[in-house]
Amino acid sequence: MIYSKIKGCGSYLPEKILTNSDLELTLDTTDEWITSRTGIKKRHIIAKDQLTSDLAFEAAKNAIKDANLQPNDIDLIIVATTTPDKVFPSTACILQKKLKIKECPAFDIQAVCSGFIYALSIADKFIKTNSAKNVLVVGADAMSRITDYSDRSNAILWGDGSGAVILSSSNKEGILSTHIHAQGEYEDLLHVTKKEQAGVFKETIDMRGNQVFKMAVNTLDMIVDETLSSNKLAKEDIDWVVPHQANIRILEATAKKLNMSMDKVIVTIDEQGNTSAASIPLALDYGIKEKKIKSGHLILMEAFGGGFTWGSALIRI
Ligand code: ACO
């Protein structure tokens, strides 16, 4: 049996930090409100001269090094992003150029906050069908580029960053299953729309936060059940949950559903905010580097985002 095993991971956060106190200066909000409603204290913001592919490049370099590989060992690149450098070429192709990888297929996936799970799911299929041996899977987003900083219910949430894994073919257990879904009818609850800011029209995020919150909690409950039952596993079998970091209250609801203490949930939202497709690989890299997640552990990744899209992956590390 061929498995896809995580052979290495890496991440990158831009230097600039935007704290809740910084936001208090420009918005009608408080650190207390943001912390209690979202769990977020600060987020990293991409530099003016950086692009999403620059974030992806740093995380990818770290992941390739962590896997003890050379860039040209990679035979497929998938980048999950909602904030590509340009409409084309894909950020994956730009990343390929920056990594000086000679030739391999490279493409982007757009599933907003569920993008990394979608990308992982596709990479797993390439490996299981023997179509690739070492896949570079990246989640990279510069959400600050599509945030309306005059909208207090939105500006507080988003951060920038990237995370990457190398998924390699192995005869040892790795990805046990992935599950991806979409339901397009809820577009109006969470989407990007053209708004005027200081006389300039800009595409920014528009979200009915409260309704999205309720949908996210209920949907993540269902995906946890689906993942466990398809693997004939029980809640107690899971060592760590590595969730998409949207809101600490959503993370707490998932932990409750699993009868799990928050000590078993990787939390980075306080330091990073919601980095969309980057949040799961950033959390994974943090969990591994902090020696929380160890070899042999069973981890559940789950995400919910714009589309709506949602998904999960159950992985033996
Ligand atoms: N500071 C102070 N007050 C605020 C702020 C703020 N930053 N933002 C909103 N408020 C106010 C509102 O105006 C409202 O005031 P009102 O009662 O006088 O009208 C009140 O707080 C409550 O607003 P809600 O929107 O009901 O607040 P809620 O508790 O739902 O928190 C939040 C808002 C944080 C956005 C939350 O709904 C949330 O996290 N939603 C889910 C986000 C998510 O999961 N997105 C999906 C993934 S992201 C992706 O796919 C791209």
Side-chain angles (χ1 to χ4, degrees), residues 211-276:
Q211 291 172 65
V212 175
F213 185 96
K214 285 177 196 147
M215 289 282 303
V217 170
N218 292 335
T219 310
L220 290 170
D221 266 12
M222 288 191 301
I223 197 91
V224 166
D225 284 341
E226 181 188 335
T227 313
L228 288 174
S229 72
S230 83
N231 288 282
K232 298 190 175 52
L233 287 169
K235 294 169 179 170
E236 308 75 64
D237 294 319
I238 294 171
D239 294 299
W240 288 99
V241 181
V242 184
H244 166 53
Q245 314 279 317
N247 184 314
I248 191 71
R249 292 183 290 140
I250 297 178
L251 271 55
E252 284 165 354
T254 305
K256 196 168 165 208
K257 163 83 184 169
L258 284 163
N259 297 330
M260 202 176 232
S261 132
M262 278 302 282
D263 294 344
K264 290 288 179 189
V265 180
I266 301 291
V267 177
T268 54
I269 191 162
D270 50 339
E271 297 279 322
Q272 299 173 8
N274 181 345
T275 57
S276 196

Short mmCIF file of all heavy atoms in Angstrom, two decimals, residues 211-276:
data_model
loop_
_atom_site.label_atom_id
_atom_site.label_comp_id
_atom_site.label_asym_id
_atom_site.label_seq_id
_atom_site.Cartn_x
_atom_site.Cartn_y
_atom_site.Cartn_z
N GLN A 211 -23.39 34.74 11.03
CA GLN A 211 -23.97 33.59 10.31
C GLN A 211 -22.90 32.60 9.89
O GLN A 211 -23.09 31.39 9.95
CB GLN A 211 -24.75 34.08 9.09
CG GLN A 211 -26.01 34.84 9.49
CD GLN A 211 -26.67 35.50 8.28
OE1 GLN A 211 -27.14 34.83 7.37
NE2 GLN A 211 -26.69 36.80 8.26
N VAL A 212 -21.74 33.14 9.47
CA VAL A 212 -20.63 32.25 9.07
C VAL A 212 -20.19 31.44 10.29
O VAL A 212 -19.94 30.23 10.19
CB VAL A 212 -19.44 33.06 8.51
CG1 VAL A 212 -18.25 32.16 8.21
CG2 VAL A 212 -19.84 33.81 7.25
N PHE A 213 -20.13 32.10 11.43
CA PHE A 213 -19.71 31.44 12.67
C PHE A 213 -20.58 30.21 12.95
O PHE A 213 -20.09 29.11 13.20
CB PHE A 213 -19.82 32.46 13.83
CG PHE A 213 -19.30 31.95 15.14
CD1 PHE A 213 -18.01 32.24 15.53
CD2 PHE A 213 -20.10 31.19 15.98
CE1 PHE A 213 -17.52 31.78 16.74
CE2 PHE A 213 -19.61 30.72 17.18
CZ PHE A 213 -18.33 31.01 17.58
N LYS A 214 -21.91 30.41 12.89
CA LYS A 214 -22.84 29.30 13.20
C LYS A 214 -22.68 28.16 12.20
O LYS A 214 -22.66 26.98 12.56
CB LYS A 214 -24.28 29.80 13.20
CG LYS A 214 -24.59 30.62 14.44
CD LYS A 214 -26.01 31.18 14.41
CE LYS A 214 -26.14 32.29 15.44
NZ LYS A 214 -27.05 33.34 15.02
N MET A 215 -22.59 28.53 10.91
CA MET A 215 -22.41 27.49 9.87
C MET A 215 -21.10 26.73 10.09
O MET A 215 -21.04 25.52 9.93
CB MET A 215 -22.34 28.14 8.47
CG MET A 215 -23.63 28.71 7.95
SD MET A 215 -24.79 27.52 7.30
CE MET A 215 -23.87 26.68 6.04
N ALA A 216 -20.05 27.48 10.44
CA ALA A 216 -18.73 26.84 10.62
C ALA A 216 -18.78 25.82 11.74
O ALA A 216 -18.32 24.67 11.57
CB ALA A 216 -17.67 27.91 10.92
N VAL A 217 -19.37 26.18 12.88
CA VAL A 217 -19.40 25.27 14.02
C VAL A 217 -20.18 23.99 13.67
O VAL A 217 -19.70 22.87 13.90
CB VAL A 217 -20.01 25.97 15.27
CG1 VAL A 217 -20.28 24.97 16.38
CG2 VAL A 217 -19.09 27.08 15.75
N ASN A 218 -21.37 24.16 13.05
CA ASN A 218 -22.19 22.98 12.72
C ASN A 218 -21.51 22.10 11.67
O ASN A 218 -21.52 20.88 11.77
CB ASN A 218 -23.57 23.41 12.20
CG ASN A 218 -24.37 24.05 13.31
OD1 ASN A 218 -24.14 23.78 14.48
ND2 ASN A 218 -25.29 24.93 12.96
N THR A 219 -20.90 22.73 10.67
CA THR A 219 -20.28 21.97 9.58
C THR A 219 -19.05 21.22 10.08
O THR A 219 -18.81 20.07 9.70
CB THR A 219 -19.91 22.91 8.42
OG1 THR A 219 -21.04 23.70 8.11
CG2 THR A 219 -19.47 22.15 7.21
N LEU A 220 -18.27 21.86 10.94
CA LEU A 220 -17.06 21.19 11.46
C LEU A 220 -17.45 20.01 12.33
O LEU A 220 -16.76 18.99 12.34
CB LEU A 220 -16.18 22.20 12.21
CG LEU A 220 -15.50 23.22 11.28
CD1 LEU A 220 -14.83 24.33 12.08
CD2 LEU A 220 -14.50 22.56 10.33
N ASP A 221 -18.56 20.11 13.06
CA ASP A 221 -19.08 18.96 13.82
C ASP A 221 -19.30 17.77 12.89
O ASP A 221 -18.93 16.64 13.19
CB ASP A 221 -20.45 19.33 14.44
CG ASP A 221 -20.31 19.84 15.86
OD1 ASP A 221 -19.17 20.12 16.26
OD2 ASP A 221 -21.34 19.96 16.54
N MET A 222 -19.92 18.05 11.73
CA MET A 222 -20.24 16.97 10.78
C MET A 222 -18.98 16.37 10.19
O MET A 222 -18.88 15.15 10.01
CB MET A 222 -21.13 17.50 9.66
CG MET A 222 -22.54 17.78 10.12
SD MET A 222 -23.67 18.09 8.78
CE MET A 222 -22.99 19.48 7.94
N ILE A 223 -17.99 17.20 9.87
CA ILE A 223 -16.78 16.69 9.22
C ILE A 223 -15.96 15.83 10.20
O ILE A 223 -15.32 14.85 9.80
CB ILE A 223 -15.93 17.82 8.57
CG1 ILE A 223 -14.94 17.24 7.55
CG2 ILE A 223 -15.16 18.64 9.54
CD1 ILE A 223 -15.46 17.17 6.18
N VAL A 224 -16.02 16.16 11.48
CA VAL A 224 -15.34 15.35 12.48
C VAL A 224 -15.97 13.95 12.50
O VAL A 224 -15.27 12.93 12.43
CB VAL A 224 -15.43 16.02 13.88
CG1 VAL A 224 -15.04 15.05 14.98
CG2 VAL A 224 -14.55 17.26 13.94
N ASP A 225 -17.29 13.89 12.53
CA ASP A 225 -18.00 12.60 12.52
C ASP A 225 -17.67 11.81 11.26
O ASP A 225 -17.38 10.61 11.31
CB ASP A 225 -19.53 12.82 12.56
CG ASP A 225 -20.00 13.22 13.95
OD1 ASP A 225 -19.25 12.98 14.92
OD2 ASP A 225 -21.10 13.80 14.06
N GLU A 226 -17.72 12.49 10.10
CA GLU A 226 -17.46 11.82 8.82
C GLU A 226 -16.06 11.22 8.79
O GLU A 226 -15.86 10.07 8.37
CB GLU A 226 -17.60 12.85 7.68
CG GLU A 226 -17.37 12.27 6.30
CD GLU A 226 -17.33 13.35 5.20
OE1 GLU A 226 -17.91 14.43 5.38
OE2 GLU A 226 -16.69 13.08 4.17
N THR A 227 -15.08 11.98 9.29
CA THR A 227 -13.68 11.53 9.24
C THR A 227 -13.46 10.33 10.15
O THR A 227 -12.84 9.34 9.75
CB THR A 227 -12.74 12.70 9.67
OG1 THR A 227 -13.14 13.86 8.97
CG2 THR A 227 -11.30 12.38 9.36
N LEU A 228 -14.00 10.42 11.37
CA LEU A 228 -13.81 9.31 12.31
C LEU A 228 -14.52 8.06 11.83
O LEU A 228 -13.94 6.96 11.84
CB LEU A 228 -14.31 9.71 13.71
CG LEU A 228 -13.45 10.73 14.45
CD1 LEU A 228 -14.12 11.17 15.74
CD2 LEU A 228 -12.06 10.17 14.74
N SER A 229 -15.76 8.21 11.36
CA SER A 229 -16.50 6.99 10.99
C SER A 229 -15.90 6.36 9.74
O SER A 229 -15.87 5.13 9.64
CB SER A 229 -18.00 7.27 10.85
OG SER A 229 -18.23 8.01 9.70
N SER A 230 -15.38 7.13 8.81
CA SER A 230 -14.83 6.50 7.61
C SER A 230 -13.53 5.76 7.91
O SER A 230 -13.08 4.92 7.13
CB SER A 230 -14.66 7.50 6.46
OG SER A 230 -13.48 8.18 6.61
N ASN A 231 -12.91 6.06 9.04
CA ASN A 231 -11.68 5.35 9.43
C ASN A 231 -11.94 4.36 10.58
O ASN A 231 -11.00 3.77 11.11
CB ASN A 231 -10.61 6.35 9.86
CG ASN A 231 -10.04 7.11 8.67
OD1 ASN A 231 -9.22 6.59 7.94
ND2 ASN A 231 -10.52 8.33 8.44
N LYS A 232 -13.22 4.24 10.96
CA LYS A 232 -13.62 3.37 12.09
C LYS A 232 -12.77 3.66 13.33
O LYS A 232 -12.24 2.76 14.00
CB LYS A 232 -13.53 1.89 11.69
CG LYS A 232 -14.47 1.54 10.55
CD LYS A 232 -14.55 0.04 10.32
CE LYS A 232 -15.56 -0.34 9.27
NZ LYS A 232 -15.45 0.35 7.98
N LEU A 233 -12.61 4.94 13.61
CA LEU A 233 -11.83 5.36 14.77
C LEU A 233 -12.73 6.11 15.75
O LEU A 233 -13.80 6.60 15.38
CB LEU A 233 -10.68 6.27 14.34
CG LEU A 233 -9.50 5.58 13.61
CD1 LEU A 233 -8.58 6.61 13.01
CD2 LEU A 233 -8.74 4.66 14.55
N ALA A 234 -12.27 6.18 17.01
CA ALA A 234 -13.03 6.90 18.04
C ALA A 234 -12.35 8.24 18.34
O ALA A 234 -11.17 8.42 18.04
CB ALA A 234 -13.09 6.05 19.30
N LYS A 235 -13.11 9.13 18.98
CA LYS A 235 -12.59 10.45 19.33
C LYS A 235 -11.27 10.35 20.10
O LYS A 235 -10.33 11.11 19.88
CB LYS A 235 -13.60 11.20 20.21
CG LYS A 235 -14.88 11.52 19.50
CD LYS A 235 -15.94 12.01 20.48
CE LYS A 235 -17.22 12.35 19.74
NZ LYS A 235 -18.36 12.61 20.59
N GLU A 236 -11.21 9.34 21.02
CA GLU A 236 -10.04 9.19 21.89
C GLU A 236 -8.78 8.82 21.12
O GLU A 236 -7.67 8.91 21.64
CB GLU A 236 -10.27 8.08 22.96
CG GLU A 236 -11.53 8.18 23.77
CD GLU A 236 -12.78 7.78 23.00
OE1 GLU A 236 -12.90 6.60 22.59
OE2 GLU A 236 -13.62 8.68 22.77
N ASP A 237 -8.94 8.34 19.87
CA ASP A 237 -7.75 7.92 19.10
C ASP A 237 -6.93 9.11 18.60
O ASP A 237 -5.77 8.96 18.22
CB ASP A 237 -8.17 7.06 17.90
CG ASP A 237 -8.79 5.75 18.35
OD1 ASP A 237 -8.27 5.16 19.30
OD2 ASP A 237 -9.81 5.34 17.75
N ILE A 238 -7.56 10.28 18.58
CA ILE A 238 -6.86 11.45 18.03
C ILE A 238 -5.93 12.07 19.07
O ILE A 238 -6.33 12.33 20.21
CB ILE A 238 -7.88 12.50 17.54
CG1 ILE A 238 -8.66 11.91 16.36
CG2 ILE A 238 -7.21 13.80 17.13
CD1 ILE A 238 -9.83 12.73 15.94
N ASP A 239 -4.67 12.28 18.68
CA ASP A 239 -3.70 12.89 19.60
C ASP A 239 -3.77 14.42 19.56
O ASP A 239 -3.64 15.07 20.58
CB ASP A 239 -2.28 12.42 19.24
CG ASP A 239 -2.11 10.94 19.49
OD1 ASP A 239 -2.27 10.53 20.65
OD2 ASP A 239 -1.86 10.19 18.53
N TRP A 240 -3.91 14.98 18.33
CA TRP A 240 -3.91 16.43 18.18
C TRP A 240 -4.91 16.86 17.12
O TRP A 240 -5.02 16.21 16.07
CB TRP A 240 -2.53 16.94 17.73
CG TRP A 240 -1.49 16.87 18.80
CD1 TRP A 240 -0.55 15.89 18.97
CD2 TRP A 240 -1.29 17.80 19.87
NE1 TRP A 240 0.21 16.15 20.07
CE2 TRP A 240 -0.22 17.32 20.64
CE3 TRP A 240 -1.93 18.99 20.25
CZ2 TRP A 240 0.24 18.00 21.77
CZ3 TRP A 240 -1.47 19.65 21.38
CH2 TRP A 240 -0.39 19.16 22.13
N VAL A 241 -5.57 17.97 17.37
CA VAL A 241 -6.36 18.62 16.32
C VAL A 241 -5.52 19.81 15.84
O VAL A 241 -5.01 20.59 16.65
CB VAL A 241 -7.73 19.12 16.83
CG1 VAL A 241 -8.51 19.76 15.69
CG2 VAL A 241 -8.51 17.98 17.44
N VAL A 242 -5.35 19.88 14.51
CA VAL A 242 -4.62 21.02 13.90
C VAL A 242 -5.65 21.74 13.03
O VAL A 242 -5.80 21.46 11.84
CB VAL A 242 -3.42 20.52 13.07
CG1 VAL A 242 -2.63 21.71 12.53
CG2 VAL A 242 -2.52 19.61 13.89
N PRO A 243 -6.40 22.67 13.63
CA PRO A 243 -7.52 23.28 12.91
C PRO A 243 -7.13 24.55 12.15
O PRO A 243 -6.13 25.19 12.48
CB PRO A 243 -8.48 23.66 14.04
CG PRO A 243 -7.60 23.92 15.22
CD PRO A 243 -6.31 23.13 15.03
N HIS A 244 -7.97 24.89 11.17
CA HIS A 244 -7.87 26.22 10.58
C HIS A 244 -8.18 27.23 11.68
O HIS A 244 -9.13 27.06 12.44
CB HIS A 244 -8.86 26.36 9.43
CG HIS A 244 -9.05 27.78 9.00
ND1 HIS A 244 -7.98 28.58 8.67
CD2 HIS A 244 -10.16 28.56 8.91
CE1 HIS A 244 -8.42 29.79 8.37
NE2 HIS A 244 -9.74 29.81 8.51
N GLN A 245 -7.35 28.27 11.78
CA GLN A 245 -7.46 29.22 12.89
C GLN A 245 -8.35 30.40 12.47
O GLN A 245 -7.86 31.40 11.95
CB GLN A 245 -6.07 29.72 13.28
CG GLN A 245 -5.01 28.63 13.41
CD GLN A 245 -5.04 27.90 14.74
OE1 GLN A 245 -5.18 28.53 15.78
NE2 GLN A 245 -4.91 26.58 14.72
N ALA A 246 -9.67 30.24 12.67
CA ALA A 246 -10.61 31.30 12.28
C ALA A 246 -11.05 32.12 13.47
O ALA A 246 -11.18 33.34 13.38
CB ALA A 246 -11.83 30.71 11.58
N ASN A 247 -11.30 31.44 14.59
CA ASN A 247 -11.82 32.11 15.78
C ASN A 247 -11.64 31.12 16.93
O ASN A 247 -12.01 29.95 16.80
CB ASN A 247 -13.31 32.43 15.56
CG ASN A 247 -13.91 33.21 16.71
OD1 ASN A 247 -13.71 32.88 17.87
ND2 ASN A 247 -14.65 34.25 16.38
N ILE A 248 -11.10 31.58 18.06
CA ILE A 248 -10.84 30.66 19.19
C ILE A 248 -12.12 29.97 19.65
O ILE A 248 -12.11 28.81 20.06
CB ILE A 248 -10.14 31.39 20.38
CG1 ILE A 248 -9.62 30.40 21.42
CG2 ILE A 248 -11.04 32.42 21.04
CD1 ILE A 248 -8.45 29.59 21.04
N ARG A 249 -13.27 30.67 19.50
CA ARG A 249 -14.53 30.06 19.95
C ARG A 249 -14.95 28.92 19.03
O ARG A 249 -15.60 27.97 19.47
CB ARG A 249 -15.62 31.14 20.04
CG ARG A 249 -15.35 32.14 21.16
CD ARG A 249 -16.46 33.16 21.28
NE ARG A 249 -16.49 34.07 20.16
CZ ARG A 249 -17.60 34.50 19.56
NH1 ARG A 249 -18.78 34.10 19.98
NH2 ARG A 249 -17.53 35.33 18.53
N ILE A 250 -14.56 28.99 17.74
CA ILE A 250 -14.84 27.86 16.83
C ILE A 250 -13.93 26.68 17.21
O ILE A 250 -14.37 25.53 17.25
CB ILE A 250 -14.62 28.27 15.35
CG1 ILE A 250 -15.60 29.38 14.94
CG2 ILE A 250 -14.74 27.06 14.42
CD1 ILE A 250 -15.45 29.89 13.51
N LEU A 251 -12.69 26.97 17.54
CA LEU A 251 -11.75 25.91 17.95
C LEU A 251 -12.24 25.23 19.23
O LEU A 251 -12.18 24.01 19.36
CB LEU A 251 -10.35 26.51 18.19
CG LEU A 251 -9.40 26.58 16.99
CD1 LEU A 251 -9.99 27.32 15.81
CD2 LEU A 251 -8.08 27.23 17.37
N GLU A 252 -12.75 26.04 20.16
CA GLU A 252 -13.24 25.48 21.43
C GLU A 252 -14.47 24.59 21.19
O GLU A 252 -14.62 23.54 21.83
CB GLU A 252 -13.58 26.62 22.40
CG GLU A 252 -12.33 27.25 23.00
CD GLU A 252 -12.58 28.60 23.68
OE1 GLU A 252 -13.71 29.14 23.62
OE2 GLU A 252 -11.61 29.13 24.25
N ALA A 253 -15.32 25.00 20.24
CA ALA A 253 -16.51 24.20 19.94
C ALA A 253 -16.11 22.84 19.36
O ALA A 253 -16.71 21.81 19.68
CB ALA A 253 -17.42 24.95 18.97
N THR A 254 -15.08 22.82 18.51
CA THR A 254 -14.63 21.55 17.92
C THR A 254 -14.02 20.66 19.00
O THR A 254 -14.26 19.44 19.03
CB THR A 254 -13.59 21.80 16.79
OG1 THR A 254 -14.17 22.68 15.85
CG2 THR A 254 -13.18 20.53 16.11
N ALA A 255 -13.25 21.26 19.91
CA ALA A 255 -12.64 20.47 20.99
C ALA A 255 -13.73 19.85 21.86
O ALA A 255 -13.65 18.68 22.25
CB ALA A 255 -11.73 21.37 21.84
N LYS A 256 -14.80 20.63 22.11
CA LYS A 256 -15.91 20.14 22.92
C LYS A 256 -16.57 18.94 22.24
O LYS A 256 -16.87 17.93 22.85
CB LYS A 256 -16.92 21.28 23.13
CG LYS A 256 -17.90 21.03 24.23
CD LYS A 256 -18.65 22.30 24.57
CE LYS A 256 -19.87 21.95 25.40
NZ LYS A 256 -20.94 22.91 25.24
N LYS A 257 -16.78 19.08 20.93
CA LYS A 257 -17.39 18.00 20.14
C LYS A 257 -16.57 16.71 20.27
O LYS A 257 -17.11 15.60 20.29
CB LYS A 257 -17.46 18.47 18.68
CG LYS A 257 -17.67 17.40 17.65
CD LYS A 257 -19.13 17.07 17.51
CE LYS A 257 -19.34 15.91 16.55
NZ LYS A 257 -20.69 15.40 16.59
N LEU A 258 -15.25 16.86 20.34
CA LEU A 258 -14.36 15.69 20.43
C LEU A 258 -14.10 15.26 21.88
O LEU A 258 -13.28 14.37 22.11
CB LEU A 258 -13.02 16.02 19.76
CG LEU A 258 -13.02 16.02 18.22
CD1 LEU A 258 -11.81 16.75 17.67
CD2 LEU A 258 -13.07 14.59 17.69
N ASN A 259 -14.78 15.89 22.84
CA ASN A 259 -14.51 15.65 24.27
C ASN A 259 -13.03 15.80 24.58
O ASN A 259 -12.45 15.02 25.32
CB ASN A 259 -14.93 14.23 24.71
CG ASN A 259 -16.39 14.00 24.57
OD1 ASN A 259 -17.16 14.95 24.68
ND2 ASN A 259 -16.78 12.76 24.30
N MET A 260 -12.43 16.78 23.97
CA MET A 260 -10.99 16.93 24.05
C MET A 260 -10.65 18.22 24.78
O MET A 260 -11.34 19.22 24.63
CB MET A 260 -10.48 17.03 22.61
CG MET A 260 -9.06 16.69 22.42
SD MET A 260 -8.77 16.75 20.65
CE MET A 260 -8.04 15.18 20.41
N SER A 261 -9.58 18.16 25.58
CA SER A 261 -9.14 19.39 26.24
C SER A 261 -8.49 20.29 25.20
O SER A 261 -7.90 19.79 24.23
CB SER A 261 -8.16 19.00 27.35
OG SER A 261 -7.03 19.79 27.31
N MET A 262 -8.53 21.60 25.43
CA MET A 262 -7.89 22.54 24.50
C MET A 262 -6.38 22.32 24.48
O MET A 262 -5.69 22.80 23.57
CB MET A 262 -8.23 23.98 24.88
CG MET A 262 -9.57 24.46 24.38
SD MET A 262 -9.78 24.35 22.58
CE MET A 262 -8.87 25.79 22.01
N ASP A 263 -5.85 21.58 25.45
CA ASP A 263 -4.41 21.25 25.46
C ASP A 263 -4.03 20.37 24.28
O ASP A 263 -2.85 20.21 23.98
CB ASP A 263 -4.02 20.49 26.73
CG ASP A 263 -4.18 21.35 27.96
OD1 ASP A 263 -4.27 22.57 27.79
OD2 ASP A 263 -4.21 20.79 29.06
N LYS A 264 -5.03 19.76 23.64
CA LYS A 264 -4.76 18.86 22.52
C LYS A 264 -5.09 19.53 21.17
O LYS A 264 -5.20 18.87 20.15
CB LYS A 264 -5.59 17.57 22.67
CG LYS A 264 -5.09 16.70 23.81
CD LYS A 264 -3.78 16.07 23.42
CE LYS A 264 -3.18 15.20 24.49
NZ LYS A 264 -1.80 14.79 24.14
N VAL A 265 -5.34 20.82 21.23
CA VAL A 265 -5.63 21.59 20.01
C VAL A 265 -4.47 22.56 19.78
O VAL A 265 -4.08 23.29 20.70
CB VAL A 265 -6.95 22.38 20.16
CG1 VAL A 265 -7.26 23.17 18.89
CG2 VAL A 265 -8.11 21.44 20.49
N ILE A 266 -3.90 22.54 18.58
CA ILE A 266 -2.82 23.48 18.28
C ILE A 266 -3.45 24.86 18.03
O ILE A 266 -4.29 25.00 17.14
CB ILE A 266 -2.00 23.02 17.06
CG1 ILE A 266 -1.38 21.63 17.29
CG2 ILE A 266 -0.92 24.07 16.73
CD1 ILE A 266 -0.29 21.55 18.33
N VAL A 267 -3.03 25.83 18.83
CA VAL A 267 -3.60 27.18 18.73
C VAL A 267 -2.50 28.18 18.37
O VAL A 267 -1.50 28.29 19.08
CB VAL A 267 -4.27 27.60 20.06
CG1 VAL A 267 -4.79 29.03 19.98
CG2 VAL A 267 -5.39 26.64 20.44
N THR A 268 -2.68 28.88 17.26
CA THR A 268 -1.73 29.93 16.86
C THR A 268 -2.47 31.25 16.59
O THR A 268 -1.85 32.25 16.27
CB THR A 268 -0.97 29.54 15.58
OG1 THR A 268 -1.93 29.21 14.58
CG2 THR A 268 -0.04 28.36 15.79
N ILE A 269 -3.81 31.19 16.71
CA ILE A 269 -4.61 32.36 16.31
C ILE A 269 -4.25 33.61 17.12
O ILE A 269 -4.30 34.72 16.60
CB ILE A 269 -6.12 32.05 16.38
CG1 ILE A 269 -6.89 33.18 15.71
CG2 ILE A 269 -6.61 31.79 17.79
CD1 ILE A 269 -8.28 32.88 15.31
N ASP A 270 -3.87 33.41 18.39
CA ASP A 270 -3.52 34.56 19.23
C ASP A 270 -2.36 35.37 18.63
O ASP A 270 -2.36 36.59 18.65
CB ASP A 270 -3.18 34.10 20.66
CG ASP A 270 -2.17 32.96 20.69
OD1 ASP A 270 -2.02 32.25 19.67
OD2 ASP A 270 -1.52 32.78 21.74
N GLU A 271 -1.40 34.68 18.05
CA GLU A 271 -0.18 35.33 17.52
C GLU A 271 -0.28 35.66 16.03
O GLU A 271 0.49 36.46 15.53
CB GLU A 271 1.01 34.37 17.68
CG GLU A 271 1.36 34.02 19.11
CD GLU A 271 2.19 35.11 19.76
OE1 GLU A 271 3.04 35.66 19.08
OE2 GLU A 271 1.93 35.41 20.95
N GLN A 272 -1.19 34.97 15.30
CA GLN A 272 -1.16 35.06 13.83
C GLN A 272 -2.46 35.53 13.19
O GLN A 272 -2.47 35.86 12.01
CB GLN A 272 -0.80 33.68 13.25
CG GLN A 272 0.57 33.19 13.69
CD GLN A 272 0.86 31.77 13.25
OE1 GLN A 272 0.12 31.17 12.48
NE2 GLN A 272 1.95 31.21 13.75
N GLY A 273 -3.58 35.52 13.92
CA GLY A 273 -4.87 35.83 13.31
C GLY A 273 -5.27 34.74 12.33
O GLY A 273 -4.73 33.62 12.37
N ASN A 274 -6.19 35.07 11.43
CA ASN A 274 -6.65 34.11 10.42
C ASN A 274 -5.84 34.33 9.14
O ASN A 274 -6.01 35.34 8.46
CB ASN A 274 -8.15 34.33 10.18
CG ASN A 274 -8.73 33.36 9.16
OD1 ASN A 274 -8.00 32.71 8.42
ND2 ASN A 274 -10.05 33.27 9.10
N THR A 275 -4.96 33.37 8.84
CA THR A 275 -4.10 33.50 7.65
C THR A 275 -4.63 32.67 6.48
O THR A 275 -3.87 32.31 5.57
CB THR A 275 -2.65 33.08 7.98
OG1 THR A 275 -2.68 31.74 8.49
CG2 THR A 275 -2.00 34.00 8.99
N SER A 276 -5.93 32.33 6.52
CA SER A 276 -6.60 31.62 5.43
C SER A 276 -5.88 30.31 5.09
O SER A 276 -5.65 29.50 5.98
CB SER A 276 -6.76 32.55 4.23
OG SER A 276 -7.69 32.02 3.34
#
